[in-house]
């Protein structure tokens, strides 16, 4: 069968500019949450016309990387299309579904970390546990949430699976934004800290089964805490969704 010849065409200037700006954002040239330079400054720096720049910026807004704010300029919303999509998807999903996804990722990553971790990674986990204890002692719940996210990313990185690390990095923001925000009472906070120490101990001992169990228990505690705060029956999410034994990781 005769093959179809693909058309030969050169990418438009605006398309080239989209690729250039996207690479700049992905490389951290414009960090997430910061305002990009004013339009005139970019025109002068890039040597492009106003319409070309606006077309490129509009494309990046559509992709979810940039966010225009009336009267305040344009801000970097996300460092990649995948992260932007996952943040939007997770924010619209039932919290129970997000918890199930977190269980799958972290249970597997914890088991792999027990097999592949090195001493430097173990030290980092211990240091983050100490930081978490200090943050929990304070009144700033956002600081505790931030340290907790760093800890779990450290565990995933210790898995040695580059693809898993990349996916989790994209999902991390989505998981944190979807699950964060609830203050922990004393009892749940103490159990939360104990389970994290149990997880690191298992990873240090290279006990794959114990590491997976500890990771699943951490997510289970988060679920129980949300049930307690919302007044839902134990084992159900705040949305009322049912919980399967597989999702519990028990």
């Amino acid at each position: 069968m005769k093959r179809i010849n693909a058309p030969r065409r050169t990418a438009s200037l605006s398309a080239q500019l989209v690729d250039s700006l996207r690479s700049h954002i992905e490389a951290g040239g414009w960090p997430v949450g910061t305002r990009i330079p004013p339009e005139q400054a970019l025109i002068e720096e890039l040597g492009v016309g106003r319409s070309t720049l606006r077309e490129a910026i509009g494309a990046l807004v559509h992709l979810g990387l940039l966010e225009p704010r009336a009267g305040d300029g344009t801000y970097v919303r996300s460092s990649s299309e995948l992260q932007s999509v996952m943040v939007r998807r997770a924010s619209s999903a039932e919290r129970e579904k997000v918890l199930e996804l977190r269980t799958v990722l972290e249970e597997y990553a914890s088991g792999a970390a027990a097999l592949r971790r090195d001493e430097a990674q173990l030290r980092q986990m211990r240091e983050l546990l100490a930081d978490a204890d200090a943050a929990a002692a304070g009144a700033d719940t956002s600081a505790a949430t931030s340290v907790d996210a760093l800890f779990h990313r450290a565990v995933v990185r210790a898995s040695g699976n580059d693809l898993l690390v990349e996916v989790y990095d994209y999902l991390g923001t989505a998981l944190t934004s979807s699950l964060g925000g609830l203050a922990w009472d004393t009892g749940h906070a103490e159990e939360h800290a104990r389970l994290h120490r149990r997880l690191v101990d298992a990873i240090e001992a290279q006990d794959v089964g114990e590491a997976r169990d500890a990771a699943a228990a951490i997510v289970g505690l988060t679920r129980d805490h949300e049930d307690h705060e919302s007044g839902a029956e134990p084992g159900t999410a705040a949305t009322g969704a049912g919980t399967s034994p597989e999702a519990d990781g028990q």
Side-chain angles (χ1 to χ4, degrees):
M1 186 173 67
K2 187 176 180 180
R3 298 179 61 184
I4 300 174
N5 294 322
R8 297 179 178 273
R9 59 180 64 173
T10 302
S12 67
L13 183 58
S14 62
Q16 294 179 54
L17 185 56
V18 168
D19 289 339
S20 178
L21 294 178
R22 179 166 49 193
S23 297
H24 187 68
I25 292 170
E26 289 177 349
W30 291 339
V32 174
T34 62
R35 183 172 56 187
I36 70 173
E39 183 179 84
Q40 188 57 42
L42 287 174
I43 290 173
E44 294 173 1
E45 178 181 352
L46 299 170
V48 297
R50 192 176 305 276
S51 60
T52 298
L53 177 63
R54 288 182 175 178
E55 185 177 349
I57 295 297
L60 293 174
V61 169
H62 180 72
L63 290 172
L65 273 65
L66 297 179
E67 177 186 10
R69 299 180 185 176
D72 193 26
T74 301
Y75 285 75
V76 180
R77 180 180 183 183
S78 176
S79 61
S80 73
E81 295 101 308
L82 179 56
Q83 184 184 64
S84 176
V85 169
M86 290 309 304
V87 169
R88 290 199 303 270
R89 183 66 185 89
S91 65
S92 64
E94 295 177 358
R95 293 170 73 87
E96 176 64 20
K97 303 301 183 184
V98 179
L99 285 165
E100 288 182 10
L101 176 59
R102 179 176 169 182
T103 301
V104 170
L105 293 176
E106 295 192 9
E107 187 177 342
Y108 177 84
S110 297
L115 288 175
R116 301 169 183 161
R117 90 294 183 279
D118 58 33
E119 293 302 317
Q121 290 167 333
L122 278 173
R123 285 195 300 273
Q124 183 186 31
M125 290 179 209
R126 296 289 185 193
E127 290 170 358
L128 287 169
L129 285 183
D131 292 343
D133 288 341
D140 187 355
T141 56
S142 63
T145 299
S146 177
V147 174
D148 187 66
L150 289 174
F151 171 82
H152 287 286
R153 285 192 177 96
V155 172
V156 175
R157 284 194 294 272
S159 73
N161 185 322
D162 292 340
L163 182 58
L164 178 59
V165 172
E166 184 177 353
V167 170
Y168 192 85
D169 280 344
Y170 286 137
L171 288 172
T173 300
L175 294 173
T176 300
S177 63
S178 179
L179 298 176
L182 290 176
W184 291 75
D185 59 64
T186 301
H188 279 97
E190 290 177 352
E191 179 65 5
H192 189 256
R194 187 190 70 78
L195 288 174
H196 281 67
R197 290 192 296 270
R198 173 186 166 191
L199 173 58
V200 177
D201 288 344
I203 291 174
E204 182 173 16
Q206 297 189 295
D207 188 333
V208 175
E210 173 67 4
R212 291 174 65 100
D213 287 347
I218 290 171
V219 182
L221 180 68
T222 302
R223 178 185 291 110
D224 291 343
H225 169 59
E226 291 188 350
D227 291 344
H228 176 75
E229 291 297 310
S230 65
E233 290 295 324
T236 62
T239 58
T243 305
S244 67
E246 292 80 7
D248 281 336
Q250 301 298 329

